[in-house]
Amino acid sequence: MRALSRPAVRGYRSQVMAAGQGTETNARRGQIVDVAMRQFAEHGYRGAHVEDIAAEVGVAKGTVFLHFGNKEGLFLAVYREAVGQLPAWLDAPADVVEGGFWSVLDYWLRRTEEFLTEQWVANRVAMIGRYDTGLGLRRPIDRLMRSEDPYGTLEFVEFGVRRGEIRDDVDVEMIASMLDWVAERFQDALGSEELDPGLVHRKPHVPERRDARIREFLELLRSGISPAPNPIAEPDRATAGQRATMEPARPPRADR
């Protein structure tokens, strides 16, 4: 949920332009995406209606479908544009990046609510993509996030590995996936209390606990992905299969 505004260099509109679409067609598509982004942000995926989007743009509903195929295709284009407007991890200020991996992570977590309000529409669409869509959209959204990595999570993890702050005995893609899962969910909890169903705290929400929750989250994450004193050892191939087929131990029976 990093929300500092920046040009959407990876968004849908830039991809359309790169594909060589005509200027008028490109402008129309961009206009539809702009209006649809606000409509989805305000009403959610299920609450937004294509006919309302078309009416605001000043085109027929069929024109929207001509460009995007269906409502799912329209939302996917909007979602790509939204996440393209949000900054990557290493877009933090230079002095923060110089402080290292944990400095950058702390920076974004502590500014979650501030940046959420700065670019509410894009963040809201990104959140809707995570929570308010069905499997038909979740699959292409997940593929988009894996293939395009709009937040630069893999690059961020590799940055931490190079600095010796992140363990190098675990696949960096595994660590990047874990970071995406837990950090994004934690930021959702910080920025939107109604979307935090007890994952971070099971007691009633206490704003005064916010800094402590961030500190505890960072410590838990640090304990998992910081360099390990003893790297994970590969199992002995000669004995791994043997252990898998051995009968489980049974407690001794008492003499009868």
Side-chain angles (χ1 to χ4, degrees), residues 32 35-37 39-40 48-59 64 74:
I32 294 172
V35 171
M37 185 180 298
Q39 289 271 356
F40 282 126
H49 301 289
V50 175
E51 52 265 34
D52 294 337
I53 295 169
E56 184 171 342
V57 176
V59 298
V64 177
L74 174 60

Side-chain angles (χ1 to χ4, degrees), residues 25-101:
T25 300
N26 179 43
R28 178 66 72 195
R29 283 171 174 257
Q31 188 180 9
I32 294 172
V33 168
D34 284 342
V35 171
M37 185 180 298
R38 181 171 48 77
Q39 289 271 356
F40 282 126
E42 292 177 355
H43 304 292
Y45 177 73
R46 294 172 178 82
H49 301 289
V50 175
E51 52 265 34
D52 294 337
I53 295 169
E56 184 171 342
V57 176
V59 298
K61 180 178 177 179
T63 301
V64 177
F65 290 144
L66 179 64
H67 286 300
F68 301 98
N70 52 31
K71 185 178 180 181
E72 289 183 353
L74 174 60
F75 182 83
L76 188 61
V78 166
Y79 183 87
R80 179 182 284 113
E81 184 70 22
V83 297
Q85 291 180 11
L86 301 178
W89 292 102
L90 292 175
D91 287 335
D95 60 325
V96 174
V97 175
E98 288 175 4
F101 180 93

Side-chain angles (χ1 to χ4, degrees), residues 234-246:
E234 289 289 338
D236 183 357
R237 295 182 181 276
T239 60
Q242 179 182 357
R243 287 198 301 268
T245 58
M246 289 176 59

Side-chain angles (χ1 to χ4, degrees), residues 167-185:
R167 59 194 303 171
D168 61 2
D169 60 327
V170 176
D171 182 16
V172 290
E173 291 192 3
M174 170 64 75
I175 297 176
S177 294
M178 188 187 78
L179 182 61
D180 274 335
W181 297 331
V182 298
E184 191 170 74
R185 183 65 185 85

Side-chain angles (χ1 to χ4, degrees), residues 94-114:
D95 60 325
V96 174
V97 175
E98 288 175 4
F101 180 93
W102 297 104
S103 171
V104 171
L105 188 56
D106 180 80
Y107 171 84
W108 289 118
L109 292 180
R110 293 191 182 280
R111 287 157 180 80
T112 295
E113 296 92 337
E114 171 190 346

Side-chain angles (χ1 to χ4, degrees), residues 16-17 19-29:
V16 170
M17 292 175 68
Q21 296 283 351
T23 303
E24 184 176 350
T25 300
N26 179 43
R28 178 66 72 195
R29 283 171 174 257

Side-chain angles (χ1 to χ4, degrees), residues 188-232:
D188 287 346
L190 290 175
S192 184
E193 183 182 348
E194 68 271 14
L195 287 175
D196 177 19
L199 179 64
V200 177
H201 55 82
R202 297 181 182 277
K203 298 178 181 179
H205 178 61
V206 181
E208 294 76 13
R209 280 273 300 155
R210 178 185 180 278
D211 287 345
R213 291 168 65 201
I214 293 174
R215 184 178 65 252
E216 291 163 357
F217 175 83
L218 289 172
E219 286 305 312
L220 285 170
L221 192 59
R222 191 191 303 267
S223 68
I225 65 176
S226 288
N230 298 308
I232 299 174

